[in-house]
Amino acid sequence: MLPGSRQAAEFWGRAGGSTQAAATNGLTTSVKQNPEATIANRTGLVADEKVLILDFGSQYAQLIARRVRELHVYCEIVRHDITAERVRELNPRGVILSGGPSSVYETGAPQVDPEIFKLGIPVLGICYGLHLACNALGGKVDRATKREFGRASVQITSHADLFEGVPDLMEVWMSHGDQVAERSGGFVTLAETRTCPVAAVRHETLPVYGLQFHPEVTHTPLGTKVLGNFLTKVCGCQGTWRLGDFADEAIAAIRQRVGQDRVICGLSGGVDSSVVAALLYRAIGSQLSCILIDNGLLRKAEERSVIDEFSGHFKTDLHVVKAETRFLSALAGITDPQEKRKRIGHAFIDCFSEEAAKISGAKFLAQGTLYPDVIESGAAVDGPAATIKLHHNVGGLPEDLSFELIEPLRDLFKDEVRRLGLQLGLPEDIVWRHPFPGPGLAVRCLGEVTKVRLDTLRDADAIVVEEIKEAGLYRSTSQVFAVLLPVQSVGVMGDARTYQDTVAVRAVTTEDFMTADWSHLPYELLARISTRIINEVQGVNRVVYDISSKPPATIEWE
């Protein structure tokens, strides 16, 4: 639940513009953004090569961006209605048009500025992006007589550019109900399937390409090869972007901006806040003050882990606020999830404000906002406007905390943050720690939150994580935890009947946390987890396993 994690960006209200707003409790943040320090706030990153991804509502837009960055080309996701003039100002090496849920022929469907195709900048349209390109340049898109959803094989008819080094028959992932019914005379077909005659195209005179399939998903095994060909052979990129360079630029930018002032960073033990703190420590050393609020809602031994790492290894000025009683008093008798978040938010604000006031000379507040947070909040200048997610949003900072905001990770995805953390010397158990919700165990303790119930949940959760690690599955699962249900059931222990608590075990795998599948854990592992929880955790006589995917369920239960 603490500032610095991905959940904490939601916890405080997403950072955007000059203020942040927390809609769930009516509090408004006034964390100052210095317009003259915009580049420094964004780590000072200046990429020699940049690609723009126009987002038309695709569930895969962020995945496209991650694939491009994995090929060492920096990219940004921008609004679908960005003007050609703005694209020219940004001077990208290439433009990618994402997929989307709409049909180009529908009234009100998102469109692209057709002048973008005339800039001379290479364009790659994916699925809906292909339809946009063909439609804008004289073709016709219509509903397909046979839709394609899932795996398909495409026959490559031309191996130049996009398909250089790719076999004649290629397995791909299709997801479309529309297709190009008529291509204009300016387009040449590069690939086809039995039911889709235009599976890939290029324009004869313009540097415009299109794919009906999705190269960004793992179900297209050679998709990265195709994207790589677009970046190198069409856009002329050399693949010069490296996280090591990012770290050096970020450190230099932070030093220049902070000068001799002090920076406050909230710690949670999660990877985002830990990497922010490690980066700041590398940049400004003793000018960094960290605040850890022990609210009684942390995982087992989490406080000790953070203290050891940031007062021992990094030797930062660490302030630990003991506030368990305060938070539990605020939560007494409360069962509604949203009310829990509000009360946790208010208590957190009070604790953080009081501790921050004790730190003299503090001018800056560091926060672990990541690039997906920026995208989803609509905070990026050219980024897609989106509704702020409030799932774990429980509060904002008070107006009298007039700090300038530093968000050194706001250009990075989660996997990039992890790699950066390893480069900065953070231990693997922190770098690869699973995400933790902003309100902490309060949203995994369904019903009333009490110390007794939290201790029960903490012990059960520790067993789940320990067994997952022992089985070697911690890195292959994305999030694993226990949930204490407000349900008691009859059991038999020895010769006595019991009426005790139920614990649910949740394990998911996901790439972006927007969608997730339940992890198919071995039965033997589930049996060990169940046996240990029932035998070792007082008051629990039943363990169940959650096999719900997201959607329709969410990862967290509250």
Side-chain angles (χ1 to χ4, degrees), residues 100-352:
S102 303
S103 295
V104 295
Y105 49 78
E106 291 177 342
T107 302
Q111 301 296 324
V112 62
D113 184 346
E115 295 300 312
I116 288 176
F117 299 113
K118 302 176 183 178
L119 294 176
I121 299 171
V123 176
L124 174 64
I126 297 175
C127 197
Y128 184 76
L130 160 70
H131 301 165
L132 286 168
C134 288
N135 190 61
L137 295 173
K140 180 182 179 182
V141 177
D142 208 343
R143 185 162 298 280
T145 55
K146 291 187 178 180
R147 300 180 300 172
E148 290 181 305
F149 293 96
R151 288 182 172 86
S153 293
V154 298
Q155 181 71 42
I156 308 301
T157 57
S158 173
H159 289 273
D161 298 334
L162 287 188
F163 297 108
E164 184 173 319
V166 174
D168 292 341
L169 200 61
M170 179 179 168
E171 183 180 342
V172 301
W173 183 261
M174 291 283 195
S175 181
H176 66 101
D178 296 337
Q179 64 184 35
V180 178
E182 298 176 14
R183 56 178 176 80
S184 70
F187 278 103
V188 176
T189 300
L190 304 179
E192 60 188 25
T193 73
R194 287 183 298 177
T195 59
C196 181
V198 183
V201 296
R202 68 170 173 82
H203 199 274
E204 289 185 317
T205 58
L206 301 173
V208 178
Y209 295 76
L211 301 172
Q212 182 60 77
F213 60 87
H214 289 272
E216 69 274 19
V217 302
T218 55
H219 299 303
T220 302
L222 294 176
T224 300
K225 173 68 175 174
V226 175
L227 282 175
N229 283 343
F230 174 70
L231 296 173
T232 57
K233 302 183 184 306
V234 179
C235 299
C237 295
Q238 301 297 313
T240 58
W241 190 67
R242 295 292 187 277
L243 266 181
D245 297 334
F246 172 92
D248 292 341
E249 292 173 0
I251 289 168
I254 290 168
R255 285 175 180 161
Q256 179 180 8
R257 183 178 178 197
V258 172
Q260 300 302 311
D261 292 309
R262 180 163 291 278
V263 178
I264 294 177
C265 177
L267 277 178
S268 68
V271 58
D272 303 335
S273 66
S274 297
V275 172
V276 168
L279 189 65
L280 286 165
Y281 181 77
R282 183 75 64 86
I284 59 175
S286 60
Q287 294 168 246
L288 172 66
S289 292
C290 295
I291 297 177
L292 169 65
I293 297 179
D294 180 7
N295 55 9
L297 305 174
L298 302 179
R299 290 169 283 200
K300 193 169 186 177
E302 193 152 39
E303 178 197 9
R304 175 45 51 191
S305 172
V306 174
I307 291 173
D308 289 345
E309 190 62 34
F310 286 94
S311 62
H313 181 74
F314 287 102
K315 301 187 185 304
T316 57
D317 175 34
L318 179 61
H319 298 242
V320 180
V321 181
K322 296 287 188 178
E324 180 182 49
T325 301
R326 190 172 191 167
F327 277 78
L328 291 182
S329 296
L331 291 168
I334 303 302
T335 59
D336 179 73
Q338 289 293 72
E339 185 63 25
K340 286 180 184 178
R341 293 188 187 92
K342 292 178 183 179
R343 290 176 178 245
I344 292 169
H346 283 289
F348 176 83
I349 289 167
D350 291 342
C351 291
F352 194 90

Side-chain angles (χ1 to χ4, degrees), residues 484-530:
L484 183 61
L485 305 183
V487 174
Q488 291 189 317
S489 63
V490 174
V492 178
M493 290 183 172
D495 295 323
R497 290 171 66 82
T498 61
Y499 193 67
Q500 295 182 335
D501 290 328
T502 301
V503 166
V505 176
R506 180 74 159 141
V508 300
T509 54
T510 177
E511 286 197 352
D512 55 17
F513 292 90
M514 295 180 180
T515 61
D517 192 17
W518 61 276
S519 300
H520 295 228
L521 300 179
Y523 291 154
E524 296 80 5
L525 173 58
L526 291 172
R528 284 198 304 274
I529 290 173
S530 176

